[in-house]
Amino acid sequence: MSKKLMGFLFVMQVFFVQAQSKYQQDFNFFWETINIEYAYFDAKQTNWKNVKEVYKKKLASIKEDWEFTYLIELMKHELYDPHFTLNRNLAFSFRLIPNDLDAHITVKNNKYYIDDIRQDYKITESILKIGDEILKVNGEDLEVILKRNYPESIKNPNDEVKEYFANLIFTGRHNEPRNITVRQNGNIKTVALEKATAIVKSNKLLEFTTLKNNIGYIKINNSLGNNNVIKQFPKAVDQLQNTKAIIIDLRNTHSGGNTDVAKAIMGKFIQKEIPYQIHERVGLEREFGIKRKYIEILSPLKKPYLKPVYVLVSRWTGSVGEAIGQGFSNISTATVVGTKMAQLLGAINCRTLQNSKLRYCYPFEKLYSTSEIPREDFKPQIQTKNYKETYLKVMQIIHGQKR
């Protein structure tokens, strides 16, 4: 072997060792952070220690950043938690739940059905209907795709795991089409869907108007993370002060937001401070044996609206939207109407891996109602079957018709 070739191989070996060291460091930090701080292991089938062993073996063959990103993405899916996100995706990554989900899939007796369809999205222009059974995606049996994507740390996935991956598969991968085959009223049909796309996109943070019979209506356009809502929302309520009731539509708030915006919304409907939600930092107790649990307080804003308020929620009400929905249930003049929400777990914390610069956000605090009901288990005071029915139901209630 020539000296030149030996020198080249030596350089490549050094490069490989350095790369392994870089990815190994990030891998260890990622696993350890989640091991200490992730708040919901007790609600998961995941064996996180087993996850480390399984993916540590895969780490040995990684040479490029995209491969490492994919490894972390797979580890994230082991927790089947849509509130656990990365700041980077690959061309073949699945799209996000609930952001990129335009129909919600539920599992019953190992069969998969559409149980809700996102209104004002292009999917409503397709033949798909609530109640359709999902049979295939891109020509392949859904059950086969599910088994290929289930977590390696879980041997017998329960319905929660199955439902997570069924919805993930329905959202589709970034670089693949979505051809969905369903059984509809006994007939087999296949429909080509584009990615989840709104029919009309608004550039407004919120919209408000006065409906028939002097009913106020405020729609939040997935803007609960924008602090400009803190000023805009109270002003909208002030302009609706003479209405008989106000509807607050949170059905399209899939991206979550921040607590300051949440308090600016709820604070317009109370006269005195009230409990809002309970926080529990699980990781501190796990690592140090110290329990940290506290009640967050909601304070009133000026010129509160004290007439009835109806809050609409859906499968696409996520994170802070869910906190607002649950928080309104503490307000005597408010009624929450809708389906189950997105059921995104807890409050999130974000970290960035030093070498790969991959940023990951994960639930580190559990959140509860003031009666200690986990936020993900919250049920609206008036429950509906789907997104579309929610608006119709609240109009019936307001106009005095039978609930």
Side-chain angles (χ1 to χ4, degrees), residues 21-38 48 52 59 68 72 75 84 349-360 362:
S21 176
K22 176 178 79 170
Y23 297 131
Q24 185 71 60
Q25 289 172 10
D26 282 0
F27 176 90
N28 291 340
F29 185 83
F30 174 79
W31 184 88
E32 191 64 36
T33 301
I34 303 308
N35 188 53
I36 293 172
E37 296 187 1
Y38 184 72
W48 192 242
K52 183 178 185 179
L59 186 69
F68 182 73
I72 298 298
M75 292 176 73
F84 195 138
N349 185 39
C350 298
R351 292 180 180 271
T352 300
L353 296 175
Q354 181 177 357
N355 298 303
S356 60
K357 306 305 178 187
L358 186 64
R359 182 173 172 81
Y360 57 104
Y362 55 93

Side-chain angles (χ1 to χ4, degrees), residues 219-234:
K219 180 182 180 182
I220 308 294
N221 291 320
N222 195 39
S223 55
L224 295 176
N226 191 316
N227 282 347
N228 288 324
V229 175
I230 294 172
K231 294 181 178 180
Q232 289 188 22
F233 185 87

Side-chain angles (χ1 to χ4, degrees), residues 39-46 80 158 160 345 366 376:
Y40 287 91
F41 281 125
D42 61 333
K44 298 292 180 179
Q45 285 191 283
T46 310
Y80 53 100
N158 60 20
E160 184 183 349
L345 299 175
K366 288 187 175 183
E376 61 273 17

